[in-house]
Amino acid sequence: KAGVTQTPRYLIKTRGQQVTLSCSPISGHRSVSWYQQTPGQGLQFLFEYFSETQRNKGNFPGRFSGRQFSNSRSEMNVSTLELGDSALYLCASSWDGEAFYNEQFFGPGTRLTVL
Amino acid sequence: AQSVSQHNHHVILSEAASLELGCNYSYGGTVNLFWYVQYPGQHLQLLLKYFSGDPLVKGIKGFEAEFIKSKFSFNLRKPSVQWSDTAEYFCAVTVNDYKLSFGAGTTVTVRA
């Protein structure tokens, strides 16, 4: 079974631009979560989607948004990029949206650099 | 504020030494606890998890962790490390929701 895939793997943008990142979960997984990883703040939760609905949201500004499609694929968008948005963005999927202890399977991440 | 604390930022060990990484959380009520590992150049992957039952849980690659509710702790242990255990280790918690709250991570370097 293929793992979680994320595209693109690397991105370079300039301040003020916007960016869209894509995540394809493991086949059959219905929950998709997004995390931001930086050296200073570590791993921080952005949001989680299940059946095309956002169920949980972290403490990020409204410039960060996401969505999930009917095939469970998910995208996240960051508008008006700032230098501080440079980070590794990780997507994780889980097979069952009912249990809080289900394992989340992580993708390789998208490395975003904002210049 | 709710948080997950990992006591050590960087641990350096020799092969065959024992490893213990501390993790404390500040959430009340029912928690689900995880240890994830990130080997160099690889994805985050689950080592082990606890959600109920026996507080001593065993994971992959010889790792185990003990949940001590009274101490709000979930420490990770391995009796004898190998060079291949060099990685970054993250403790994480979910509390009645689907979002993982991670500790800052501990980098473990095992010297051959």
Side-chain angles (χ1 to χ4, degrees), chain B residues 8 11 13 18-22 35 66 75-78 81:
Chain B
N8 308 99
V11 172
L13 303 164
S18 63
L19 173 69
E20 180 160 0
L21 302 181
W35 276 97
E66 185 176 12
N75 293 351
L76 180 71
R77 298 194 291 253
K78 185 170 183 178
V81 296

Side-chain angles (χ1 to χ4, degrees), chain B:
Chain B
Q2 298 173 330
S3 65
V4 179
S5 300
Q6 291 184 239
H7 309 305
N8 308 99
H9 180 64
H10 194 180
V11 172
I12 302 173
L13 303 164
S14 298
E15 276 194 318
S18 63
L19 173 69
E20 180 160 0
L21 302 181
C23 173
N24 287 89
Y25 61 93
S26 64
Y27 303 91
T30 302
V31 294
N32 305 288
L33 299 154
F34 306 80
W35 276 97
Y36 278 83
V37 62
Q38 190 167 31
Y39 297 103
Q42 295 188 27
H43 309 176
L44 269 171
Q45 59 182 280
L46 183 69
L47 267 181
L48 46 79
K49 66 181 180 183
Y50 171 81
F51 56 95
S52 66
D54 189 344
L56 184 63
V57 292
K58 296 191 184 300
I60 61 172
K61 305 188 180 188
F63 285 90
E64 64 179 31
E66 185 176 12
F67 171 52
I68 303 179
K69 189 174 182 180
S70 60
K71 295 185 178 181
F72 296 87
S73 71
F74 190 55
N75 293 351
L76 180 71
R77 298 194 291 253
K78 185 170 183 178
S80 177
V81 296
Q82 300 173 312
W83 177 81
S84 58
D85 293 321
T86 294
E88 190 160 14
Y89 294 80
F90 295 91
C91 181
V93 174
T94 64
V95 185
N96 297 328
D97 58 30
Y98 303 97
K99 66 177 186 180
L100 281 166
S101 295
F102 284 91
T106 299
T107 300
V108 173
T109 301
V110 180
R111 292 179 171 160

Side-chain angles (χ1 to χ4, degrees), chain A residues 22-95:
Chain A
S22 181
C23 171
S24 293
I26 291 172
S27 177
H29 285 195
R30 295 168 63 196
S31 170
V32 174
S33 299
W34 289 89
Y35 296 84
Q36 182 196 64
Q37 187 175 24
T38 60
Q41 299 297 318
L43 277 155
Q44 293 186 289
F45 172 80
L46 280 155
F47 26 66
E48 185 256 352
Y49 289 87
F50 179 74
S51 293
E52 302 178 65
T53 301
Q54 186 182 89
R55 288 194 303 192
N56 290 274
K57 190 176 190 305
N59 297 322
F60 279 81
R63 300 185 297 106
F64 292 82
S65 63
R67 58 178 176 169
Q68 186 181 34
F69 303 95
S70 58
N71 62 357
S72 294
R73 193 176 69 83
S74 178
E75 289 181 346
M76 68 163 282
N77 184 77
V78 188
S79 62
T80 319
L81 284 166
E82 301 177 359
L83 295 179
D85 297 333
S86 294
L88 182 67
Y89 290 88
L90 296 172
C91 170
S93 73
S94 178
W95 73 276

